[in-house]
Amino acid sequence: MGVLRVWERWRNPWPRSPFLRRPAPWTLRRVLRAALAWVGAATLCMIALGGAGTVGTGALGRVWNLRAELRPIEVVDRRGEPLGVIDHCRAGNAVNAVPCRESLSVPLTGVSEAFLLAYVAKEDVRFFSHAGVDLGRLPRALLSGAGGSTITMQLLKNNVLAGHFDYDTDRRGPLLTLTRKATEFVLAPIVTWRYGRREVLAMSVNSLPWIGIGQRKGVYDAARAVFGVDPADLTLAQSAFLVGLLPAPGRYLVTDTTPPETATARFRWMRTQQLVTLNILRSHGLIGQGAYLEAVSTPLQPRLWQAEYAGSGTDLRVVQAARNPTYTNEPEPVWAMQELVRRELRAAGLDPKRVGRVVLTVDAAAQAALTRRVTGEGATGPRPTGVAEGAAIVDVRGGGIVALASSTGGNQSSDAGRQWASSALRPVASTVKPLLYAAAFGDGVTQLSTFADQATRYGSQAVRNSTGTFLDRAVTVREANARSLNTVAVQVGTPREKTLRAVLDAAGYQEDRSNRSSPSLGTYRAAPLDVAAAYASFASGGLLCRPHLLAEVADTSGRPLPLPRPDCQPLWDEVVAYETFDLLTAAVSTDASHVPFLRPSLLQRVQGRAMPLGAKSGTTDDVNDTWCAAVTPQYAMAVWIGDPDGRQSVPVTLYREQTACREVGLLRELPHDRRSLDVPPGVTRVAGAAVPVAGLNPRNPVPVAP
């Protein structure tokens, strides 16, 4: 009986009278009242669940600052040339939890009306009439878990809630989807009230996740990557194509090995999605019949694809499609440096999310030239698969980074851990010898001091030259450096090992305690950026300046923010620095040179690019690393090529052909406004070599470790 009473009560939860024994009939009025009650209860539960999701993710604070957090950092080079932007992906507790990608924000006035119409019509046709939640679409979104149901909720999903529930995570399940939708349900009206619909639309089109298209997001990058046009110039046909990609942007990608049938089917799918978008626009009266016919009859050719069409007008159809063999897609220069810039901002005590614009010490032209070389498009050709390369150029006047590039098998990366120019701590090999000789120049040795190139030992280890032979005669330090003689380096370095270690510590090099060979042979480890900074000290009067990227910083309102002064300390006496610079130039210009190809050509002499250039190469015994470091009166550069893990040797051709040193030839191509060094007092020339005047015994400052 108890069960029956419960059943009767469930069937009739609101009796008209407590004394009524028989169930009341279900009238239309009672059905409507019950439906509204259940809707009300479901709404309250939805709000409660969304409130819990808001609190659990800390989303309310992020929503309140959404515009500031979604605004990327504008980055320009030292001459004001744009280098791209940095978004706030995974930066501390940043709002955007998805992986870093290129992005550039543009105002709505910079986006074609055709794209805005297509986007709103396809994604949320009632966008301008609701407060962020379209109740008519919500049930379908809840049941299917698809999409953001409105543009506002999609904005929240992609940026505020990414990484918390089922989106951009490895977790799946109806409860996670329901919780995310409930959280969007609560936050969407707040976003609409806080920013207004136009601003919400602007934030949305600038953060659309075209993840599959080269890790791009936002309408600017999509328009540039797919069609090579600015978003203001997108046609109706192009706009419908881009909007049609949003449900599955990864389908846009195609490789040379994709079977022809698969590639054609993929392009036909994209064509179908384009037509769906155009039909929606026409059905809602947002475009006329003439504009519709023009758009559907346009045979689009996205940059990545080669498509063949047949027919015309509404009968236009795809015959076949494949990858465009001439397609290239270079990222913005700052893309690979974005985490390094964030790291430097934080080191300066600045919150990247509060920064609106940064001026880097980078030179856009030098950066582009270095990137081409490192990615295998320069004179040295492409790199073999698996061979990494890192290269850095710094300005000797203050340590500003002029260019920085890294690659792995020809591909760039935005992962700071794969920025080999700043992170690849590898044995520096013979590039350490100029630092060794500079330390010795502060201890009574000069370029013309002589040592015997003969069998030498370091403790119990026999020391060999790279040639496997000895000259069996006395050689000057100048000649020994040009020939890169290990025997002389060990003879000079062994009695001064403590001084050398202090110098290397001050320069940021790291000792490899597992290597028992002499540090005079380059057992210490360093990144190319640190090596370039050390070589820059020879042209800066002996000052060692820590490399840095930031020249100026402004907040989101344009107000300048303070930056610490460049960190410079004296490493060499100015006479020693000049003598070492002269030692390095002799390694290029003398007959004993191991890098004679770095001498200026006749054309470079005519063009006025014959400024002094000194260089030193280096290769480890296991040939896992090959180096070259160089310096001019204005720039210092270091290049490393090898295996970051030290497990395999580089191809023989790369070190036999001195590939790393051929890369530093780029220094002669850079514009110099400082073409020579002032000769410091106390320096004279003897037999063509710069040495201290008789009776002068220069002494280096005591090195200070960072």
Side-chain angles (χ1 to χ4, degrees), residues 163-173 176:
H164 287 289
F165 298 108
D166 59 328
Y167 179 67
D168 198 43
T169 71
D170 294 328
R171 298 173 294 167
R172 295 291 183 270
L176 285 172

Side-chain angles (χ1 to χ4, degrees), residues 374-684:
V374 168
T375 55
E377 296 180 19
T380 57
R383 297 285 165 268
T385 302
V387 174
E389 180 171 353
I393 304 174
V394 300
D395 196 315
V396 302
R397 301 163 298 181
I401 298 172
V402 177
L404 194 71
S406 305
S407 75
T408 301
N411 296 322
Q412 295 185 87
S413 171
S414 64
D415 179 358
R418 298 175 69 85
Q419 295 308 302
W420 312 124
S422 62
S423 68
L425 297 178
R426 302 298 304 159
V428 297
S430 290
T431 62
V432 77
K433 290 174 181 174
L435 281 76
L436 162 67
Y437 294 136
F441 292 162
D443 189 34
V445 177
T446 73
Q447 288 195 74
L448 299 181
S449 299
T450 59
F451 296 84
D453 177 26
Q454 60 187 15
T456 306
R457 303 190 73 83
Y458 176 75
S460 61
Q461 298 177 359
V463 177
R464 299 182 304 108
N465 291 324
S466 60
T467 59
T469 62
F470 306 109
L471 297 176
D472 290 323
R473 63 175 174 84
V475 295
T476 63
V477 168
R478 186 177 178 89
E479 182 182 356
N481 181 69
R483 295 186 184 276
S484 196
L485 299 178
N486 294 335
T487 55
V488 175
V490 170
Q491 293 175 55
V492 173
T494 298
R496 300 171 180 86
E497 186 168 313
K498 183 178 179 180
T499 301
L500 175 60
R501 290 182 183 275
V503 166
L504 297 178
D505 289 340
Y509 290 32
Q510 296 184 14
E511 182 180 2
D512 182 359
R513 297 186 182 276
S514 64
N515 193 327
R516 311 304 297 176
S517 297
S518 170
S520 303
L521 301 179
T523 59
Y524 271 62
R525 295 169 175 260
L529 192 56
D530 296 319
V531 174
Y535 272 59
S537 67
F538 302 135
S540 65
L543 282 179
L544 174 67
C545 298
R546 299 297 170 195
H548 61 278
L549 280 167
L550 299 179
E552 299 175 18
V553 178
D555 63 15
T556 53
S557 301
R559 293 188 297 267
L561 296 173
L563 284 174
R565 297 183 64 181
D567 179 15
C568 298
Q569 61 163 314
L571 185 63
W572 317 113
D573 177 87
E574 63 175 351
V575 171
V576 168
Y578 186 87
E579 187 176 6
T580 311
F581 182 85
D582 186 66
L583 176 81
L584 282 164
T585 59
V588 173
S589 60
T590 63
D591 292 339
S593 171
H594 63 291
V595 284
F597 49 81
L598 289 178
R599 297 168 188 167
S601 64
L602 178 61
L603 178 61
Q604 288 172 331
R605 293 178 185 277
V606 171
Q607 294 175 334
R609 295 180 177 178
M611 72 288 295
L613 184 151
K616 184 70 187 73
S617 67
T619 301
T620 54
D621 288 342
D622 54 15
V623 201
N624 288 346
D625 309 272
T626 180
W627 285 84
C628 195
V631 61
T632 71
Q634 187 166 339
Y635 304 110
M637 179 177 179
V639 177
W640 164 83
I641 302 174
D643 178 6
D645 298 323
R647 297 175 181 174
Q648 64 181 22
S649 300
V650 299
V652 174
T653 54
L654 288 181
Y655 70 87
R656 284 188 178 173
E657 295 177 5
Q658 297 273 32
T659 299
C661 280
R662 294 184 187 278
E663 299 279 50
V664 303
L666 173 64
L667 290 182
R668 290 206 185 275
E669 305 300 321
L670 301 183
H672 282 62
D673 50 46
R674 189 184 190 213
R675 308 184 63 80
S676 63
L677 295 182
D678 295 332
V679 181
V683 172
T684 187

Side-chain angles (χ1 to χ4, degrees), residues 8 193 235 394 515:
E8 292 293 338
W193 169 77
T235 65
V394 300
N515 193 327

Side-chain angles (χ1 to χ4, degrees), residues 291-462:
Y292 171 80
L293 290 175
E294 180 182 356
V296 299
S297 60
T298 301
L300 288 181
Q301 293 287 350
R303 295 176 57 235
L304 178 62
W305 288 82
Q306 275 187 342
E308 294 183 19
Y309 293 86
S312 61
T314 56
D315 292 328
L316 184 70
R317 60 190 181 279
V318 177
V319 176
Q320 63 179 12
R323 181 184 174 90
N324 179 4
T326 64
Y327 173 77
T328 58
N329 185 23
E330 287 299 321
E332 298 287 349
V334 78
W335 179 73
M337 301 182 204
Q338 53 188 323
E339 186 52 39
L340 301 179
V341 174
R342 289 193 198 93
R343 186 181 298 174
E344 198 166 314
L345 286 171
R346 290 191 287 266
L350 301 175
D351 184 353
K353 292 181 292 183
R354 301 292 177 257
V355 173
R357 186 174 188 267
V358 297
V359 179
L360 299 187
T361 58
V362 168
D363 180 277
Q367 178 63 44
L370 184 62
T371 299
R372 285 194 298 270
R373 285 175 175 260
V374 168
T375 55
E377 296 180 19
T380 57
R383 297 285 165 268
T385 302
V387 174
E389 180 171 353
I393 304 174
V394 300
D395 196 315
V396 302
R397 301 163 298 181
I401 298 172
V402 177
L404 194 71
S406 305
S407 75
T408 301
N411 296 322
Q412 295 185 87
S413 171
S414 64
D415 179 358
R418 298 175 69 85
Q419 295 308 302
W420 312 124
S422 62
S423 68
L425 297 178
R426 302 298 304 159
V428 297
S430 290
T431 62
V432 77
K433 290 174 181 174
L435 281 76
L436 162 67
Y437 294 136
F441 292 162
D443 189 34
V445 177
T446 73
Q447 288 195 74
L448 299 181
S449 299
T450 59
F451 296 84
D453 177 26
Q454 60 187 15
T456 306
R457 303 190 73 83
Y458 176 75
S460 61
Q461 298 177 359

Side-chain angles (χ1 to χ4, degrees), residues 113-149:
E113 181 180 346
F115 180 85
L116 295 177
L117 280 175
Y119 176 54
V120 173
K122 178 80 163 20
E123 299 296 315
D124 187 3
V125 72
R126 289 186 289 273
F127 173 73
F128 286 98
S129 61
H130 60 64
V133 177
D134 189 343
L135 295 177
R137 298 182 64 190
L138 189 59
R140 185 181 66 179
L142 283 172
L143 293 173
S144 66
S149 77

